[in-house]
Amino acid sequence: MKAFLKFDFNVLTKKVLEQKLGEIGLNPIILSFGEVEFLENISAEKMKEMTVLLNEFGIEIIENQKSILVQKIKDTITEMVNSEEPLSVKSSVYLTEKLNHSYGYLSNLFSEVTYTSIENFIIIQKIELAKNLIINNQLTLTEIAFKLNYSSVAHLSTQFKNITGITPSAFQRIIAKRRLNTFN
């Protein structure tokens, strides 16, 4: 039997961090997506224990300043794309305001570290969300395009096909066929 699950990555990650770090006697304060503060000093031994524990869940501790800022850019983009409210400003302005750096600096750093552009990362995040929304089968393609701030379904379809190799409609048909085969 197959079951389709919907979950919130932010809530899931927060619970995992609180639960697992609590098991080793640490009480984190979750500041924002990807940022945790501890009120007490953490020994080198506890740090190693925490690193091993979090690596099991694909969570790693970032220590390099450039990597930290790149991770903040990724987290801010993920937060921006997954926001319930559509953005009223361009993503470049949003990132600049949230991270207190010029967009040129953020863009150059991101490209230097990740070998891709911020714009491409935003598109990939939007397409991942579009795929999840299609799988959840609650919104039409028009509603998905609007939610993701696309000017039209055609624009969404073009970017979707560029990233996945298939159109959103073809993706819908594949999901529908899998569901049909699962329940038969």
Side-chain angles (χ1 to χ4, degrees), residues 111-151:
S111 297
E112 175 190 322
V113 173
T114 65
Y115 304 106
T116 190
S117 67
I118 286 177
E119 291 78 12
N120 195 50
F121 186 78
I122 291 170
I123 291 167
I124 290 167
Q125 295 305 305
K126 286 172 118 179
I127 298 309
E128 282 305 309
L129 180 55
K131 288 176 7 185
N132 285 331
L133 292 171
I134 290 169
I135 289 168
N136 289 335
N137 205 20
Q138 295 174 340
L139 301 175
T140 65
L141 288 179
T142 303
E143 291 168 329
I144 292 171
F146 177 77
K147 179 174 178 53
L148 297 178
N149 226 4
Y150 281 102
S151 56

Side-chain angles (χ1 to χ4, degrees), residues 58-74:
I59 301 170
E60 60 184 273
I61 299 168
I62 304 169
E63 296 177 30
N64 169 310
Q65 287 302 316
K66 282 185 174 182
S67 296
I68 289 170
L69 186 51
V70 167
Q71 189 59 49
K72 283 184 177 183
I73 294 168
K74 288 179 176 180

